[in-house]
Amino acid sequence: MLHLRLITPADRTAEVVGLLEKTVGTTHLAVVPGAARDPEGDLVLCDVAREAGDEVLEGLCDLGIDRSGSIAVENIDVSLSQRAEKAEKDAPGEGADAVLWDQLADATHEESTLSVTYLAFLTLATMIAACGVVLDNAILIVGAMAVGPEFGPLAGFCTALVQRAPRLALRSFVALIAGFAAAMVLTVGFSYFMDAVGLFQETKLQAERPNTNFIYNPDWFSFVVALLAGAAGTLSLTSSKSGALVGVAISVTTVPAAANAAVAFSYNSYAQAWGSTEQLLLNLLGIVLAGTLTLLAQKFFWRRTRKGART
């Protein structure tokens, strides 16, 4: 269930209440006239089944409440109410299949911003992966993959493509490209430092490295895994399954590939650096392609579900 907290101009409250009352899946409606001060208006509260959330939000935006008032949405973890159970039962489809596009756009907006924190996480993840590739340590590689925040801008870019939002697409693209570029440049410097103190050695990089040589040897399996991970990651975001997103993070070698390219470049091993860069680009392409197609499929099937429920 979702909880909606609305501030509506007094002259629009009746329309808002009418919209909420006629939407299947809403319950616990409450109106407090004149309670809001900034902006002035009435306070309207209600709970809505996740399946009906996108329809309600679309209707509220069509009424201009996002411009003249306020719309706040919260997830309800526990709701002990027979009315809530009935609302979820009556709403079309399943809550896990519903996509709240406004919520998704808001979440990916924050995750796809080129911030200091984002750069710090991506750089630290790349440096951890650099240690992993030199030591041929799979545990460090997995740890770096879990730390990397790159799925945020990837998901933002997919969402922007489906929603035709050029601003979000540009923001996500800049965060992705500039983030990896900065992380790789800093990791080159980190590699020089580690070599100077005797912790990195070119012989270790050029060794067979059975645990990590897949990072600079891309093949079709790399692309297939990226496709599967992109679909799984997108589903985890739209269904709020954060545990699944962690699994996605440790299944695709984006950060390790960037790290291996940086370390290889510092030792002038350009063949290995190019192989790692190819692996990185292949994974990014696979995730974006699968994520976009997954969102398009969800959008198509959910529209059919809503149309079927109305007929």
Side-chain angles (χ1 to χ4, degrees), residues 18 25-26 55 64 72 76 95 130 148-149 200 224 253 271 291 294:
T26 59
E55 181 181 357
I76 300 176
F200 278 12
V224 170
T253 56
T294 300

Side-chain angles (χ1 to χ4, degrees), residues 16-99:
V16 170
V17 171
L19 169 67
L20 296 175
E21 288 180 333
K22 74 178 184 181
T23 302
V24 177
T26 59
T27 187
H28 304 153
L29 177 61
V31 180
V32 187
R37 292 291 179 268
D38 184 20
E40 291 187 1
D42 302 331
L43 178 64
V44 180
L45 307 171
C46 78
D47 295 339
V48 57
R50 183 180 176 84
E51 303 93 294
D54 196 54
E55 181 181 357
V56 170
L57 293 176
E58 282 183 10
L60 292 171
C61 290
D62 289 341
L63 292 174
I65 304 305
D66 57 328
R67 299 183 296 275
S68 60
S70 171
I71 305 172
V73 183
E74 300 173 343
N75 287 309
I76 300 176
D77 294 326
V78 179
S79 180
L80 304 178
S81 167
Q82 290 185 351
R83 288 182 175 273
E85 292 178 4
K86 185 177 184 304
E88 288 185 318
K89 184 178 179 181
D90 293 341
E94 296 293 332
D97 297 332
V99 180

